[in-house]
Amino acid sequence: MKIPYQYSVRNLWNRKLTTVLTVSGMALVVFVFSAVLMLADGLKKTLVSTGSPDNALVLRRSSTSEVMSTIDRYQAGVIATQPEIALGEDGLPILAKELLVLITLNKRGTSKVANVTLRGVDANSWKLRPNVRLIIGRKFRKGANEIVVGKRIAERFEGCALGESIKFGQRRWLVVGIMDAGNTEFSSEVWGDVDQFMQAFRRPVYSGILFRLKSRELFTRVKKRLENDPRLTVIVKTETQYYKEQSELMERFIKIVGMVLTSIFSLGAVIGAMITMYSNVANRVVEIGTLRALGFGKTSVLTAFLLEALLLGLIGGLIGLTASSFLQTITVSTTNWKSFSEVAFRFTLTPRIALSGLAFAAIMGLAGGALPSIRAARLPIVEALHTWE
Amino acid sequence: MDEASAQGPINREEEKDDPLIIVKDLHKSYRRGAQKLTVLTGVNLSIPEAQYVVFIGPSGSGKTTLLNLIAGIDKPDKGKIIIAGVDISTLDESRLSKWRARHVGFIFQFYNLIPVLTAYENVELPLLLTHLSKKERKKHVLAALKVTGILDRAFHFPAQLSGGQQQRVAIARAIVTDPTIIVADEPTGDLDKDSAAQILDLLNYLNRELGKTIVMVTHDPRAAKRARKVYVLDKGILRDQYENDLSWT
């Protein structure tokens, strides 16, 4: 049987100051670690949930985002005739020809500007994205210089509140409605009549064509036909896939920077844990000798000290996770490097991140405790008891 | 002539039937850097069951080393230590740990109680190495605490106990598994006169009434007088041995 766990727990409790300091270091690292993962996950969740797997997006071949893509009216006509496109109640295909343009707007309360995505849409755009809800005001009228702005844009940019107006494309546009698309990128967009935007920006082409599939299984068929059509030079992706790819670059960057930071911090925390555990061993040499003399094996002593180190890590991990969970109340914004538009999102704590944080804390504790625990287990009994003469 | 044989009749095994502890030609030295420090040279002795023996001698005479070797917490360079028919000098570390858990009860000068465990938990420690159930362990712990007269302090931590009380807890820990031998290293060395006398009374009780074999190291002449037999060591050699007249007790 092993040395009772109370031995490890009470030893930590008895040395409160060193325990608190070591646990604080661990907690800080786990906080940074989970914050980075929460940031990357929040971004991914925002971008991925922006798309629907029932929708297919057609872009110019080699375009990595809608901003780079152009589809002319003739090509749009060919795409609109595909039999895999679902039909609406009016018997017409549920298909939206959209234009994406980036403009810069002033952020509220600062002198800074940021890129904002303008999306020229038609009536089907609302049908294709049922998660986009008008929360205040009304939709824009076709042919009018009116816009509906995403909730996060309304909050964060000058002239974007209901009833205010902003100037772009040499016209002044009245904000007639605020839309909310939850935790998706549409909450960070400005929508208006696609034909008005094309005129205002003197663009003769669309950015992309979005349509609803009759069924998901038909995607491969329509993709193959459109991509092999000699009249078109396009690629076809599900909307979900498109937004997933949008998030990958930034997600990877956040993770790399975060992990480098976390690694440096964790090295400090591991050294802290190691110092604490070495001092715990040094202070308890006689105890270790006594336990070994009583018949507890090296493995029991090793386990008891490793348990102590593990507890240091896990307590730090729980505190770090608790602290990082409060980050979920914060909304952050950054530029999506693929579309160059401002995207706002929230830190998201998932069970996977919580488990990773705890596992990371446990590993740090064990890494810090390993050498001191081995030293404790290998102490010669007679030397530990100071009873040789 | 080597030193062991030079000791003459004193170092020969006692000629008694089935001694519990037999020490044969025991040698031990330690290395301190480049220097070799010889601590024991050719020690021979035998101790029968239910005996109460004391090793005395000046500092550095090797008495604690001899005790450690008999207790199985150190290994000899040469020689045999046979306890209850088992040559413990041949056991590997893992088997020796198990052997100690089963056969040896330790009493230390500074009690060596685990400060974060209560008296009860300290006494229970050696029982965790047995297959006894929690209920059985409780029975044994309470019995040991009762024998040593410290039952009323069972749930106190060592820091809440006096030196004498702590040593009683340590003795309870030493006897709780009903070991073959009890080894005591200066058990009264850190106690005041009255507490020391009480602890020595308790050891006498364990030996006489419960038949425990006790091997003790002491500097204290009063403690040495309580044992039935005294071995005198000097410079690693067993110089003398005599039996005490215990009629006064």
Side-chain angles (χ1 to χ4, degrees):
Chain A
M1 201 183 275
K2 302 287 176 250
I3 296 167
Y5 70 91
Q6 297 98 306
Y7 175 71
S8 305
V9 175
R10 288 186 200 155
N11 268 309
L12 286 180
W13 183 250
N14 266 22
R15 293 169 173 81
K16 288 184 198 73
L17 183 64
T18 49
T19 301
V20 166
L21 291 175
T22 314
V23 161
S24 306
M26 297 271 189
L28 179 69
V29 178
V30 173
F31 175 80
V32 174
F33 176 81
S34 46
V36 167
L37 291 181
M38 285 164 72
L39 195 67
D41 246 52
L43 178 72
K44 187 177 177 183
K45 196 175 166 192
T46 298
L47 290 180
V48 171
S49 58
T50 298
S52 157
D54 294 325
N55 294 344
L57 181 65
V58 185
L59 300 173
R60 181 172 59 90
R61 190 177 296 160
S62 307
S63 309
T64 53
S65 75
E66 287 174 281
V67 178
M68 299 175 191
S69 170
T70 54
I71 306 274
D72 65 30
R73 289 177 188 273
Y74 170 70
Q75 289 177 321
V78 173
I79 294 163
T81 60
Q82 300 305 308
E84 289 82 6
I85 300 173
L87 301 176
E89 288 167 0
D90 53 4
L92 294 172
I94 306 176
L95 174 137
K97 299 164 187 168
E98 296 184 344
L99 173 71
L100 219 75
V101 182
L102 293 178
I103 58 165
T104 53
L105 290 177
N106 290 325
K107 284 191 172 180
R108 276 189 201 280
T110 69
S111 56
K112 291 178 182 171
V113 293
N115 282 343
V116 172
T117 304
L118 294 186
R119 187 180 290 277
V121 299
D122 64 28
N124 277 334
S125 297
W126 298 93
K127 284 185 195 166
L128 284 160
R129 300 185 182 97
N131 57 337
V132 181
R133 293 177 300 112
L134 195 71
I135 50 170
I136 312 172
R138 58 172 175 82
K139 289 180 183 172
F140 56 85
R141 287 173 302 175
K142 194 161 176 60
N145 289 347
E146 292 176 348
I147 50 172
V148 172
V149 302
K151 190 181 159 200
R152 284 177 191 160
I153 297 292
E155 289 163 357
R156 298 157 63 83
F157 288 91
E158 284 176 8
C160 291
L162 187 69
E164 290 183 336
S165 64
I166 50 174
K167 196 178 173 193
F168 59 82
Q170 297 179 346
R171 297 188 199 175
R172 186 155 284 283
W173 303 78
L174 181 66
V175 179
V176 295
I178 310 284
M179 60 185 180
D180 182 12
N183 215 17
T184 72
E185 204 176 22
F186 299 126
S187 293
S188 304
E189 288 186 350
V190 175
W191 284 16
D193 180 7
V194 64
D195 294 321
Q196 290 305 309
F197 280 7
M198 284 172 88
Q199 282 177 28
F201 290 100
R202 294 184 175 80
R203 296 272 181 98
V205 291
Y206 301 107
S207 299
I209 310 293
L210 184 73
F211 59 81
R212 167 128 346 127
L213 291 158
K214 279 180 179 164
S215 78
R216 290 180 195 179
E217 292 73 38
L218 294 173
F219 173 73
T220 321
R221 203 164 83 189
V222 71
K223 174 181 170 71
K224 193 176 172 187
R225 186 178 320 109
L226 288 173
E227 289 181 356
N228 290 318
D229 192 323
R231 296 168 293 174
L232 308 170
T233 47
V234 296
I235 48 165
V236 185
K237 296 175 180 179
T238 62
E239 200 182 16
T240 315
Q241 177 64 23
Y242 170 76
Y243 282 107
K244 187 166 178 267
E245 285 171 12
Q246 295 283 298
S247 71
E248 275 169 0
L249 186 64
M250 278 200 67
E251 190 194 342
R252 201 177 307 141
F253 176 77
I254 290 171
K255 277 188 176 168
I256 289 170
V257 171
M259 288 306 130
V260 168
L261 268 179
T262 307
S263 303
I264 296 166
F265 281 13
S266 64
L267 191 67
V270 166
I271 292 170
M274 203 177 280
I275 292 168
T276 302
M277 289 307 297
Y278 265 124
S279 116
N280 283 355
V281 172
N283 287 328
R284 276 146 58 193
V285 166
V286 176
E287 280 176 38
I288 294 163
T290 306
L291 289 167
R292 295 274 288 113
L294 293 178
F296 289 95
K298 286 182 175 179
T299 317
S300 296
V301 173
L302 181 77
T303 311
F305 276 85
L306 279 180
L307 175 67
E308 223 171 293
L310 183 68
L311 282 172
L312 277 177
L314 287 177
I315 296 168
L318 281 174
I319 294 171
L321 277 176
T322 307
S324 65
S325 70
F326 290 108
L327 290 174
Q328 291 182 105
T329 57
I330 301 170
T331 301
V332 288
S333 74
T334 185
T335 303
N336 181 347
W337 293 347
K338 281 227 173 164
S339 63
F340 304 107
S341 61
E342 175 95 349
V343 55
F345 56 96
R346 286 187 167 192
F347 288 85
T348 312
L349 182 60
T350 62
R352 188 183 60 81
I353 293 173
L355 281 177
S356 305
L358 280 180
F360 184 56
I363 290 167
M364 279 196 298
L366 289 176
L371 289 176
S373 302
I374 291 169
R375 175 176 144 67
R378 293 179 66 175
L379 273 175
I381 303 173
V382 173
E383 221 168 274
L385 291 171
H386 302 299
T387 56
W388 61 277
E389 66 170 72
Chain B
M1 191 185 286
D2 65 24
E3 276 185 293
S5 55
Q7 290 171 25
I10 294 169
N11 257 0
R12 283 204 308 272
E13 279 181 33
E14 290 184 18
E15 291 172 3
K16 289 197 175 180
D17 291 339
D18 297 331
L20 180 72
I21 302 168
I22 302 169
V23 174
K24 281 185 182 171
D25 191 26
L26 204 62
H27 292 255
K28 180 69 185 175
S29 59
Y30 292 107
R31 227 164 238 297
R32 289 284 166 264
Q35 205 181 358
K36 187 182 174 188
L37 187 69
T38 302
V39 185
L40 290 176
T41 312
V43 174
N44 291 281
L45 58 86
S46 63
I47 302 168
E49 195 173 354
Q51 181 65 285
Y52 183 175
V53 304
V54 164
F55 299 146
I56 60 169
S59 292
S61 60
K63 52 190 188 299
T64 298
T65 300
L66 180 58
L67 188 79
N68 289 342
L69 291 166
I70 291 172
I73 59 173
D74 205 355
K75 287 224 160 195
D77 298 338
K78 190 185 158 197
K80 287 183 175 182
I81 305 158
I82 299 163
I83 297 174
V86 178
D87 183 357
I88 63 165
S89 56
T90 62
L91 298 179
D92 63 29
E93 201 159 314
S94 164
R95 285 184 182 176
L96 200 55
S97 287
K98 285 177 187 155
W99 178 85
R100 280 198 305 272
R102 173 69 195 88
H103 294 283
V104 187
F106 286 90
I107 303 170
F108 300 96
Q109 180 179 357
F110 299 107
Y111 335 122
N112 289 25
L113 298 175
I114 307 298
V116 294
L117 301 181
T118 62
Y120 180 97
E121 289 164 338
N122 266 288
V123 177
E124 193 187 20
L125 268 179
L127 293 175
L128 297 175
L129 296 160
T130 67
H131 297 294
L132 294 176
S133 67
K134 195 175 177 183
K135 199 175 167 187
E136 287 170 318
R137 291 203 302 269
K138 186 177 179 182
K139 210 170 109 186
H140 282 73
V141 172
L142 295 179
L145 287 168
K146 194 174 176 188
V147 166
T148 54
I150 198 77
L151 188 59
D152 57 330
R153 296 283 188 271
F155 297 101
H156 285 62
F157 286 94
Q160 298 167 319
L161 301 173
S162 69
Q165 288 171 327
Q166 287 189 57
Q167 196 59 298
R168 283 172 184 274
V169 175
I171 294 172
R173 182 178 67 186
I175 62 170
V176 74
T177 54
D178 191 20
T180 310
I181 54 171
I182 294 171
V183 295
D185 187 4
E186 304 272 13
T188 56
D190 195 45
L191 297 176
D192 60 66
K193 196 176 157 188
D194 291 342
S195 300
Q198 286 170 14
I199 292 301
L200 291 172
D201 286 344
L202 182 55
L203 291 175
N204 275 120
Y205 171 79
L206 293 175
N207 173 246
R208 283 188 183 173
E209 307 301 324
L210 305 180
K212 296 287 164 201
T213 307
I214 300 173
V215 184
M216 183 165 83
V217 161
T218 187
H219 275 111
D220 182 355
R222 284 168 305 179
K225 273 186 191 169
R226 299 291 198 104
R228 291 192 198 180
K229 188 156 186 174
V230 178
Y231 290 94
V232 184
L233 283 113
D234 187 25
K235 293 175 183 167
I237 296 168
L238 198 54
R239 294 282 183 204
D240 195 8
Q241 57 181 300
Y242 58 85
E243 293 200 6
N244 275 327
D245 174 12
L246 295 178
S247 56
W248 64 275
T249 60

